[in-house]
């Protein structure tokens, strides 16, 4: 009976040691993806931030999403223009689930800002958009970027989407006059 208790205690010790190692690794991973502002303050977790932005866009809540857009892009794409353009082609259905595939650091050029690349946190998400009335859904993979801006995280429009918004026509072809 005593030998059995020793084995049980040894297993328990190994389990708690492994659990502590996993917890320490998770804490380290969280700290390593959290960014610092120019003042040295922690900005928080960019993955959590971007997940919230993706949820807002998937819900067609463009006015709210614009509020955390990179300031340089906000200056060039005013909120009414962004909301009007995005609302012209809303996301059908609803976000059923969102999963993080991976997060990594990547140099990016913020369209409409300084041409020098900045280090962004890129997050690849896997999303399922469902349309309950049609009993249909689609799963897609998309990468978004967060950059530190004015003491907070900001998301950025990809260059092609930025140009779409800057066009003033949301990408629609100009109407031609009848001949």
């Amino acid at each position: 009976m005593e030998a059995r208790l020793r084995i049980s205690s040894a297993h328990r010790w190994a389990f708690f040691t492994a659990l502590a190692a996993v917890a320490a690794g998770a804490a380290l991973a969280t700290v390593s993806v959290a960014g610092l502002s120019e003042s040295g303050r922690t900005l928080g977790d960019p993955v959590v931030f971007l997940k919230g932005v993706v949820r807002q866009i998937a819900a067609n809540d463009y006015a709210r999403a614009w509020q955390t857009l990179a300031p340089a892009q906000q200056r060039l794409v005013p909120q009414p223009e962004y909301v009007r353009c995005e609302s012209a082609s809303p996301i059908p259905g609803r976000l059923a689930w969102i999963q993080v595939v991976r997060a990594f650091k990547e140099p990016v050029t913020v369209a409409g800002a300084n041409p020098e690349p900045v280090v962004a946190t890129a997050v690849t998400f896997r999303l399922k958009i469902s349309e309950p009335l049609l009993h249909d859904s689609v799963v897609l993979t998309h990468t978004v970027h967060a950059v530190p801006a004015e003491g907070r995280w900001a998301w950025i429009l990809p260059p092609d989407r930025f140009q779409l918004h800057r066009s003033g026509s949301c990408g629609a072809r100009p109407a031609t006059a009848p001949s």
Side-chain angles (χ1 to χ4, degrees):
M1 179 93 166
E2 192 172 311
R4 199 164 155 193
L5 285 176
R6 274 192 228 139
I7 294 171
S8 178
S9 295
H11 283 115
R12 214 173 322 179
W13 180 83
F15 172 75
F16 284 117
T17 301
L19 183 62
V22 169
L28 182 59
T30 301
V31 170
S32 69
V33 293
L36 295 177
S37 67
E38 295 81 21
S39 67
R41 290 191 331 229
T42 300
L43 299 176
D45 187 342
V47 175
V48 172
F49 165 73
L50 287 172
K51 188 183 265 190
V53 171
V54 170
R55 287 181 187 281
Q56 290 167 352
I57 292 171
N60 301 309
D61 190 355
Y62 306 120
R64 199 159 146 221
W66 182 89
Q67 293 172 359
T68 56
L69 183 64
Q73 292 186 337
Q74 285 178 330
R75 287 188 285 279
L76 296 170
V77 180
Q79 187 179 31
E81 169 63 21
Y82 175 75
V83 171
R84 180 183 68 78
C85 196
E86 292 297 326
S87 296
S89 58
I91 295 173
R94 64 173 185 75
L95 180 64
W97 49 257
I98 181 170
Q99 299 171 333
V100 176
V101 175
R102 74 183 192 129
F104 54 99
K105 299 289 184 192
E106 176 176 60
V108 296
T109 301
V110 179
N114 185 335
E116 294 298 315
V118 296
V119 177
T121 298
V123 181
T124 302
F125 292 105
R126 199 166 145 85
L127 315 160
K128 181 177 181 181
I129 306 289
S130 297
E131 177 44 71
L133 295 175
L134 299 176
H135 304 289
D136 201 6
S137 62
V138 62
V139 175
L140 55 114
T141 303
H142 189 67
T143 300
V144 292
H145 295 84
V147 295
E150 300 177 359
R152 64 175 174 87
W153 285 115
W155 63 280
I156 60 173
L157 290 166
D160 59 337
R161 199 74 185 166
F162 178 76
Q163 289 307 321
L164 176 81
H165 286 287
R166 292 287 293 155
S167 73
S169 64
C170 298
R173 291 194 175 125
T176 55
S179 3

